[in-house]
Amino acid sequence: MGTVRLTMAQALVRHLAAQWTEAEDGSRERLFAGCWAIFGHGNVAGMGEALYAHREELPTLRAHNEQAMALAAVAYAKAKFRRRMMAVTTSIGPGATNLVTAAALAHVDRLPVLLLPGDVYASRRPDPVLQQVEDFGDGTVSANDCFRPVSRYFDRITRPEQILTALPRALSVLTDPAECGPVTLALCQDVQAEAYDYPAWFFEDQLHRIRRPGPDEAELAQAVAALRKAERPLVIAGGGVLYSGAAKALAGFAERHGLPVAETQAGKGSLAWNHRANAGSIGVTGSSAANALAVDADVVLAVGTRLQDFTTGSRALFRKPGRTLIQLNAAVFDAGKHGALPLVADARRGLDELSEALGSWTAPKPQSDRTKGLIAEWTAWVDRATAASNAPLPSDAQVLGAVNRAAGRGAVVVCAAGGLPGELHKLWRTDAPGGYHLEYGYSCMGYEIAGGLGVKLARPDREVYVLVGDGSYMMMNSEIATAVQQGVKLTIVVLDNRGFGCINRLQNATGGASFNNLFRDIDGAQPINFAGHAASMGAASEKVAGIAELEGALLRAKATDQTSVIVIDTDPVVTTEAGGAWWDVAVPEVSDRDQVRRARASYEEQLAGHPVTGRDA
């Protein structure tokens, strides 16, 4: 078929531009929506030149921080339910290692992103090159080896022809429902510019579709038998429901068989908040309805979730003696956790085949009646917690209630770390898949604004609301300027509790004195003018006092087409007490403080009889 002589960087970019995916409506879209880039000496001559030549097919986006642009890329993939993704390129050195946090986040959250950091000279001609990390005992090590434990696939390209095998392997990981996660191809900077005669077939269009493996017959039969015996079954919906496009299948499954559904952070939005089967959030930040059902559940069907400690209440929530856990998951690694009966399959196909095998079976009526009553009680409680208030320092719940009401149908809320994710998980009401965008697997402070940028690029037709605490804002705010320069509209609400309020509450709950968290406890700490800072980056900004002023500001922000930042002072102490479950945070075994000793005694009470494995629960 012939060959095409290109540099390695040119061939890599051309290959990425030839990848396509099947969109949600069945049409074709480019798999890579673009490439975020901050150029330096380690990638500007190679990758920079190649991206310029293909800027129409693979748009290049410039950010202000390498970590932030990778977080935006990860958020984009999450908002697209892993059907589309983005690449990220940086120079060698700090530009590259700034990506490591985002790689870890994507690894934990099972989200695809292609990281293309520059690397040392493969030829070692100028060895050591600028920004090269020299290992005294291993000449093959570079700073990019930091990516190995946080990448699903890692390769260092030291010869131009190596991408002929490295890129297909990378794409197989990025598009696989079980292996999905970050891929790092470290690009030696001299090799980026080296030419090779590549086979022409390497640049032909390739279409990627979601792989939907079906369940094993024996595993399916085992799951059916367990469910048929259930008196108080419960379904847990994880992020895999959304990534599989299984929201409708889940709704149909719950309705046909009369099963209550609880949602993890990643799975929230699988059902509309007011769906009759939706018992709300599960776990440490769960609703009273879902957690009450979990405590008494004799069979738990977990769909598309890795069941981390916030979901299981540190393995203490599902404690009914003899209870059975079924893990429906595309990944074998997750399906066998906590002593579960594995059901390895795509979420949508697995639910469909499980429903067919169950036939006309439905959960006992007492379970349905109890679920209905618990949901009604929780709904009324949320109404009260999120109602408007005249308090001079409103609670987080009251603020997000105001934002939720102003956002209306179809909006997307974005958040990541601190106390807000717990309040949102319990209280936010979303009516469609993708309307709730939380990064809580890695709980990464600084994700929020960069993540909102990625979400808006993925869903330009939806209003995007970023809720961020003052602590997270200070860690990463540079992409306000990127949103402004890109003409991307975000509505950012900064909740200023003057410090790290969430960790201060945890510090107090474990017997500790308030220390090194709130500004009031730190000598020399000063108030920060967040509205003025946001305005300096080109955003429309204002500070409001109280919920009434916040509601007015939200209306003004909704009416404009530019990024708006609204700042409001909140109470650092008050949090939603209803719902929730125990979380294992170890308390010091000895201390001079009475408060710590009391907290330790309470901790030991919780540990008594705590299961070591899931089967002991």
Side-chain angles (χ1 to χ4, degrees), residues 199-239:
W201 58 259
F202 192 59
F203 308 111
E204 292 177 353
D205 286 357
Q206 181 180 359
L207 180 63
H208 301 267
R209 294 186 175 91
I210 293 178
R211 185 178 294 111
R212 297 193 182 279
D216 172 79
E217 290 184 8
E219 290 183 353
L220 180 63
Q222 196 174 28
V224 168
L227 281 167
R228 284 185 177 279
K229 295 177 184 177
E231 295 293 325
R232 290 189 167 183
L234 173 67
V235 178
I236 300 176

Side-chain angles (χ1 to χ4, degrees), residues 35 60 70-71 131 248 268 271 285 370 428 564 603:
C35 181
T60 299
L71 293 176
Q131 297 178 328
K248 289 183 179 179
K268 189 174 173 75
L271 296 181
T285 54
R370 180 170 183 250
W428 188 264
S564 299
Y603 177 68

